Each structure stands twice: as structure tokens, then as C-alpha cells.
Amino acid sequence: MSGSGIKFVLAGYVVVAVLMTAFRPEVATPPNPDATVVKLSFWGSYEEWGMWREIVDLFHEKNPDVWIKLNYIPDGYDDKIRLLLAADSAPDIMLIQDEPFPAYANYGKFTDLTDWVYGPDAPVDWDTAFWPTIVESFKYKGRVMGLPVWGGNVLVYYNREMFRDLGVEPPEDDWDFDGFIAKAKELTRDLDGDGRLDTFGFSLPGWIYFLPWTFGFGVDYLNESRTDWAFTGAQAVEATRFYQDLRFGYHVSPSIQEIPSASEGAMFMTGRIGMTASGPWNSPGLKTAGIDFDVVHIPYGPRGERFTRVTWDALCLFDKSEHKEAAWRFMKHCITPEAQAIVGKYIRSVPALKAAKGSFMNPDNGWSEEKFIDALEYSRLQPISVKWDAMNNVMLPEYEQLLLNKITPEQCVEQMAENIRIDGVFPIEDEP
């Protein structure tokens, strides 16, 4: 082996070692020294750590012969999981988002769960127990490769205190895009008369969180089979122009120069931005900070329809796990009504199990979290593909130029479609 080859191999071992130490393992040891130890990896906030702790504790009470070792990866989760899969050093069970799922499944490192979820030991009725869009989210080439646990969709959050302070009526659920712009304009003001805007109507999201508005114009990024690019033509330009106009036409979203050192999230919390687009995972932080907020449904688009983006997370089983039976037992536990009720209680995700929706809707919360459940009726999956990362890498530079007002909507749409081809991202022949 050449010297450079040896260095490459050694570097690979170092990478794997670094990744393994990036885990934050559960320090407690099983009370039963003969228990089978199953490793579970996940990401998330402090609240999510607490949620997992409750779910695992409940499992341990009923399964003293299995010990779930929590491996918390606080940042860079997807990159680390990808490398650990490549090195065949992955945890037994991994929490996986729907965006990278097809690419991960394409590695051939996840266990095929199809016969298990449809067999006599099935945890639930697979075709009826979950919310719409869930089951299809974690199929690869027609096979079930993930056990969905929770997710959420995007609604409009608004700062109630800011609305009151500015004397603006809260938005209503039957509004449309024109009403959305009108409401945002009411909130956009120069309060001290110095010629500079002090408050803004809407926090301009990235393209993923802008999907509800893109869908509202009757356009998507991929074709129905997810094998080719579809964001072209007049409707794509129309959606892109609306996106740019929020900042430069209507000027209801701050420009880069108008955003202080604090983030737009901080501007929403401090009453300088009135509305933002996010999912239920945004609520725990707002509650902790004492922000008076609520949510409203996505406005209807120009064609009289409304849609929103929905995303789900699932547990996937490493195909080379030495403890599949014990791991599967825990995975099934995670979609029992008891475990799903714990998920709902934290209000950071919609439980995947429809039967657990009552745990998510608490009238004492003081805001309209039940609208996330209602919005599942008009939720659509994201344009997910095995080429998700490559597609995103083409789109982001064009949107950056658009939102700096350096290119027109027509140029943005044309250049994205052209670069998708140049980079060989699409078309693709085979897609799950």
C-alpha cells in the first residue's frame, strides 16, 4: 500500500473515532447485568431529551431484560449518521428524518420491516393507524424501512402581544394570500419616524418553509414520480416572484441590512416581526420564553386551494445490528398509545398514531395547537428524493441571489432548471 493510501485509511479510522465520541451516551447502567443493550441515536432539544427519557423509562418498566442506551448527537446528526452507516458502526436504532431517508435507504443498511409491520406480530394496523402521508414517507422501493414516530406541518405563528400593541386584529383561518399580505403590511411600520422600518409583518423563510405558498400557486419542484424536475413555467415564476416581493416588492419582510445581529427568530420573540412560518417544534421554546403567541392556518392560494408542508421522523433498524429482536421490541413500544401520549404531551411534534391525538390537544396550553391536527387534511409531502442533498445544493445559491435582489424570478427559475441538468441531478431512472 502506498504512503498516501495508508494515510487515507488512518484518516478514515480517525473520522470514525471522532464520530463515535460525538455521541452523548446515557451514563446509567442497566440494573440487570444480563440485559441486552440496544443503542438508540437521536437529535433534538433539551425537551426532546426529556421526552425520550420518559419513553425509555416506560419501556424499561415492562422489559427488564432490555436496556436502551441513549446516544444523543446534538449537532451534525445527518453527517455523522451517514459516515457511521458507511463504516458499519451505526447504532442499533436511528431516528431518521424523511428528507435524507431515501438516500440512507439506498445504502442498503436499513432492515426491511415490511413483513414485521404486516405480520402477526404487527404493532398496529399499518394502513389505518397513522395520519395520511406517513406510511408512504418511509417506504423504499415499495418496502417499509422505517417505523414512524412523530412529525408535524407548517402553520403561521403570530405574536399576539405585537398585534395588540399595534392595534392589529389577529388573522383568521379563512384568509387568502391577499389577506396575508394586507395583514403583513399592517404590521410593517416606521414607529419613530426616522425613515427606517422598525417592525415587519413576516419572517421570510427558507424555501422548505415557504413550500405552503409555493404549493398554493399550483406548482411543485418534482414530478409525481419524483424522477424529474418540475419547477418550470409561468406558475413557478409566479411563486418565485411572490417570494421575492415579500422582501422587495411588498417589503413586509426585512432585508439582510434590516436584520440586526439578532436572528429573525429573536425579532419575532421581541415583537419586531409579527408572523413566522414553522411547525409545532417551535412552540416549546416560545412557551419557555413566555411569548404570547398563537397559530393560524395557511392562507388560501390564488387558485382557491391551500396546502402545507408536512414532515415525519421514523426509527430505522441497522441491518447489521446484533440485537434486532430486542430493538424491534423497543421500536414497537414507541408507537403504543402510552408512548405516543408522551410524545403528544410535549407538544413539539404531532404523534404519528392517530389514536394519540388527544394527548397533543390540551385546552390549558393557551394556544391553538389543535390546528396542526386539522391541517393534516391539507398537508403535502415535501419534494423528497434520493437526490435531496444534490437538489438542495443547486437551489440554495439561486434563492440566495433572488433574495438579495440580484436576479429576477424568471432568471431564478430558468437557472435552477438548467443547473439541475448540468449537475446531473435529474432526471433519474429509479425512485422509491
Side-chain angles (χ1 to χ4, degrees):
M1 181 181 290
S2 68
S4 60
I6 293 173
K7 290 178 181 177
F8 179 82
V9 171
L10 291 175
Y13 285 132
V14 169
V15 167
V16 172
V18 169
L19 290 175
M20 294 303 291
T21 57
F23 285 90
R24 302 287 181 88
E26 177 72 3
V27 296
T29 56
N32 177 4
D34 297 323
T36 300
V37 177
V38 173
K39 295 180 181 178
L40 164 69
S41 69
F42 65 99
W43 72 91
S45 64
Y46 173 79
E47 288 87 1
E48 286 160 279
W49 170 268
M51 178 176 64
W52 274 117
R53 184 68 270 163
E54 284 195 51
I55 293 171
V56 168
D57 286 347
L58 180 62
F59 176 79
H60 286 161
E61 290 176 11
K62 301 179 179 181
N63 299 270
D65 60 324
V66 177
W67 186 258
I68 304 301
K69 185 175 182 179
L70 296 177
N71 290 288
Y72 173 44
I73 306 179
D75 51 57
Y77 184 86
D78 288 338
D79 290 338
K80 290 165 185 173
I81 288 295
R82 184 181 292 110
L83 289 174
L84 288 169
L85 285 169
D88 284 336
S89 301
D92 302 285
I93 306 171
M94 294 155 278
L95 183 65
I96 300 294
Q97 292 178 295
D98 52 2
E99 293 102 334
F101 167 78
Y104 289 164
N106 193 46
Y107 297 160
K109 302 294 180 75
F110 290 160
T111 300
D112 185 344
L113 305 176
T114 309
D115 292 340
W116 296 1
V117 301
Y118 284 108
D121 192 34
V124 295
D125 184 329
W126 199 251
D127 295 322
T128 63
F130 300 112
W131 298 106
T133 70
I134 288 185
V135 171
E136 61 186 292
S137 295
F138 297 102
K139 281 186 176 180
Y140 180 75
K141 298 186 184 298
R143 309 297 290 179
V144 178
M145 309 295 283
L147 198 73
V149 285
W150 55 63
N153 40 23
V154 172
L155 295 181
V156 176
Y157 278 76
Y158 64 96
N159 186 316
R160 286 193 288 208
E161 182 177 1
M162 178 178 172
F163 271 72
R164 286 194 301 270
D165 289 346
L166 295 181
V168 178
E169 289 295 317
E172 297 183 358
D173 289 321
D174 61 350
W175 60 342
D176 58 15
F177 281 14
D178 288 340
F180 166 72
I181 292 299
K183 192 66 64 177
K185 285 182 176 179
E186 285 188 76
L187 297 165
T188 303
R189 301 184 186 182
D190 173 8
L191 297 177
D192 55 12
D194 65 354
R196 295 191 297 268
L197 292 173
D198 300 295
T199 61
F200 297 88
F202 186 58
S203 176
L204 195 66
W207 75 267
I208 296 175
Y209 281 80
F210 190 69
L211 276 171
W213 287 267
T214 301
F215 290 154
F217 281 97
V219 66
D220 202 344
Y221 289 95
L222 301 183
N223 64 0
E224 188 173 350
S225 63
R226 303 183 185 180
T227 57
D228 205 357
W229 188 250
F231 195 67
T232 60
Q235 291 173 322
V237 172
E238 190 179 9
T240 304
R241 177 169 291 108
F242 187 81
Y243 194 15
Q244 188 181 49
D245 280 350
L246 289 173
R247 175 171 285 174
F248 297 107
Y250 305 117
H251 200 181
V252 295
S253 299
S255 66
I256 298 299
Q257 294 76 20
E258 292 168 322
I259 300 173
S261 56
S263 68
E264 288 184 72
M267 292 176 70
F268 175 81
M269 295 174 72
T270 56
R272 291 197 57 200
I273 291 180
M275 298 182 290
T276 188
S278 193
W281 45 84
N282 197 34
S283 63
L286 294 176
K287 292 290 286 185
T288 300
I291 306 303
D292 186 7
F293 70 94
D294 205 348
V295 293
V296 63
H297 283 289
I298 294 297
Y300 286 92
R303 288 154 184 80
E305 297 180 291
R306 65 176 167 197
F307 304 96
T308 191
R309 167 221 184 203
V310 68
T311 179
W312 302 105
D313 299 338
L315 297 176
C316 295
L317 178 58
F318 184 38
D319 201 40
K320 294 190 177 182
S321 167
E322 297 179 356
H323 310 295
K324 286 188 178 180
E325 186 280 329
W328 176 240
R329 209 190 312 169
F330 175 73
M331 291 169 70
K332 290 192 297 180
H333 162 75
C334 290
I335 56 171
T336 60
E338 296 83 5
Q340 288 281 287
I342 294 173
V343 173
K345 180 182 69 173
Y346 278 80
I347 317 292
R348 64 85 50 207
S349 299
V350 174
L353 200 66
K354 288 191 288 188
K357 70 175 184 179
S359 65
F360 181 81
M361 300 186 293
N362 185 346
D364 296 330
N365 284 329
W367 62 286
S368 308
E369 72 280 352
E370 72 279 357
K371 291 182 182 180
F372 285 105
I373 299 290
D374 297 338
L376 290 171
E377 294 183 3
Y378 63 86
S379 295
R380 291 176 57 178
L381 289 175
Q382 307 172 82
I384 295 170
S385 158
V386 292
K387 297 294 187 73
W388 173 267
D389 285 340
M391 179 180 76
N392 193 43
N393 289 339
V394 169
M395 296 168 66
L396 288 180
E398 303 306 329
Y399 276 131
E400 180 180 356
Q401 294 298 300
L402 178 84
L403 299 180
L404 290 173
N405 210 25
K406 292 185 176 181
I407 58 175
T408 66
E410 290 84 358
Q411 289 172 325
C412 181
V413 170
E414 181 181 350
Q415 289 170 193
M416 276 198 289
E418 181 179 341
N419 291 338
I420 283 285
R421 306 287 187 218
I422 291 174
D423 289 7
V425 180
F426 292 105
I428 57 179
E429 296 181 358
D430 186 26
E431 182 70 4

